[in-house]
Amino acid sequence: MTERHILGLSGGKDSTALALFMRDKVPDMEYVFCDTGSELDETINYLNQVEAYLGKKIIRLNPNATFDHWLEVFNGYLPAPNMRWCTKLLKLRPFEEYVGGGNVVSYVGIRADEDRVGYISTKPNIKAVFPFKEHGIDYDGVMKILIDSGIGLPPYLNWGRSHSGCYFCFFQKPIEWVLLLENYPRLFDKAQSYEKIRHEPGKTFTWIQNMPLSELRKPENIERIKEKHKEIIARHKQSRPNKKLVEVFAGLEIDDSEPKSCLICQL
Ligand code: SF4
């Protein structure tokens, strides 16, 4: 049986660079994107540009039910780092259904300078490969691929969001929520409308623990979050003086105490 080659794009810089890198190496590559329906329009537009560059359709995989449907199933329990039902139902499941039962090589955009682990299916028919690791392509190599192609960085990096994925993603740092409010106020309102604050124990659901978005958006809190972020950026720039601000954002791992992002959504 022939082996299929599949590369999952997230709208993030590393998976995009990998798609560009592999374009002429594996002509029968299938490019896929698991669309949760909650991505920023600018991410979708960026993927459209990538699609034009690749000269090949990026197959959009849609889950068979929406985030709102699953939220109802979970009784309003918002997903969280320790309860990632969204990743499983809106990303992994559509991908595995698309892959099916045949043999597949899955191309993963983890860079040579990274030590993290991306989505590696436990399904025996899926073999994950890491071309950036094999070819020694690190952060600077990824930037070069993106810039040389003319595709450039994902647009959200320009206004300070560090990752692709759902606009309400709980992996966002407080400063990213502030930036979402400033850049996409209606999406912030929509994210806020998913929160439920009740007096009964175990019935309050917020995206950030102990900080409902109704609180976060207050001017005094916004100011505090911005101040703290400025301090973090200044510290980070001091330790990496040759990095431009956009690179600081793009490689954002500036506060290790914060939760790690979801790789299948944001690589
Ligand atoms: S981007 Fe965030 S909210 Fe969306 S599916 Fe991934 S982990 Fe869940």
Side-chain angles (χ1 to χ4, degrees):
M1 201 202 281
T2 48
E3 203 172 45
R4 287 163 68 203
H5 297 264
I6 301 182
L7 192 155
L9 288 137
S10 70
K13 70 178 190 340
D14 293 337
S15 61
T16 300
L18 184 63
L20 306 180
F21 180 69
M22 296 306 300
R23 183 184 70 167
D24 301 325
K25 295 180 175 62
V26 181
D28 60 343
M29 184 77 84
E30 297 167 44
Y31 299 98
V32 301
F33 169 63
C34 298
D35 188 357
T36 61
S38 303
E39 299 283 336
L40 296 177
D41 285 349
E42 60 186 70
T43 303
I44 302 297
N45 292 339
Y46 182 67
L47 284 166
N48 292 341
Q49 282 175 40
V50 174
E51 188 169 68
Y53 183 93
L54 294 172
K56 206 164 184 182
K57 195 109 200 97
I58 297 174
I59 300 155
R60 320 283 162 135
L61 306 178
N62 296 109
N64 51 15
T66 61
F67 177 82
D68 288 5
H69 164 84
W70 289 114
L71 187 62
E72 218 177 294
V73 171
F74 282 86
N75 285 324
Y77 199 118
L78 291 174
N82 58 351
M83 173 73 165
R84 296 185 205 177
W85 57 256
C86 51
T87 311
K88 186 166 170 230
L89 296 165
L90 303 174
K91 292 273 183 181
L92 292 179
R93 187 184 283 181
F95 180 77
E96 291 188 343
E97 280 173 3
Y98 174 76
V99 164
N103 287 340
V104 158
V105 181
S106 167
Y107 292 76
V108 184
I110 294 181
R111 305 187 311 260
D113 57 327
E114 289 184 300
D115 208 10
R116 55 183 180 162
V117 179
Y119 165 60
I120 299 171
S121 178
T122 48
K123 287 182 80 177
N125 60 318
I126 302 179
K127 183 177 119 198
V129 294
F130 305 90
F132 284 162
K133 283 201 172 286
E134 283 163 33
H135 291 265
I137 295 176
D138 58 6
Y139 175 85
D140 289 338
V142 160
M143 297 298 274
K144 187 169 166 17
I145 292 170
L146 292 172
I147 291 161
D148 288 354
S149 67
I151 292 288
L153 288 167
Y156 53 80
L157 289 172
N158 293 326
W159 51 272
R161 186 178 166 93
S162 62
H163 296 290
S164 56
C166 306
Y167 68 87
F168 47 64
C169 186
F170 46 85
F171 282 115
Q172 286 177 92
K173 297 172 172 68
I175 186 65
E176 293 177 278
W177 281 107
V178 169
L179 294 167
L180 182 73
L181 176 62
E182 290 175 350
N183 287 278
Y184 289 94
R186 282 170 53 189
L187 290 183
F188 187 98
D189 290 346
K190 207 167 157 203
Q192 187 180 329
S193 73
Y194 284 120
E195 296 193 324
K196 298 280 170 286
I197 297 156
R198 302 199 188 91
H199 293 298
E200 287 168 79
K203 294 284 180 194
T204 285
F205 303 120
T206 56
W207 293 109
I208 309 174
Q209 211 181 5
N210 302 325
M211 175 62 94
L213 296 183
S214 53
E215 278 297 310
L216 185 143
R217 73 187 302 158
K218 288 182 177 165
E220 63 274 23
N221 289 330
I222 289 180
E223 202 181 320
R224 196 175 49 78
I225 291 166
K226 283 186 169 174
E227 274 311 308
K228 187 175 173 219
H229 185 64
K230 261 193 226 158
E231 286 167 22
I232 295 171
I233 290 286
R235 266 206 315 273
H236 197 69
K237 281 192 91 175
Q238 222 169 23
S239 63
R240 303 170 75 193
N242 297 327
K243 292 276 171 196
K244 296 192 196 94
L245 192 58
V246 70
E247 292 176 276
V248 174
F249 278 125
L252 203 68
E253 283 301 344
I254 55 184
D255 184 351
D256 283 343
S257 64
E258 294 186 38
K260 291 280 181 274
S261 58
C262 176
L263 291 179
I264 189 168
C265 307
Q266 302 171 342
L267 196 66

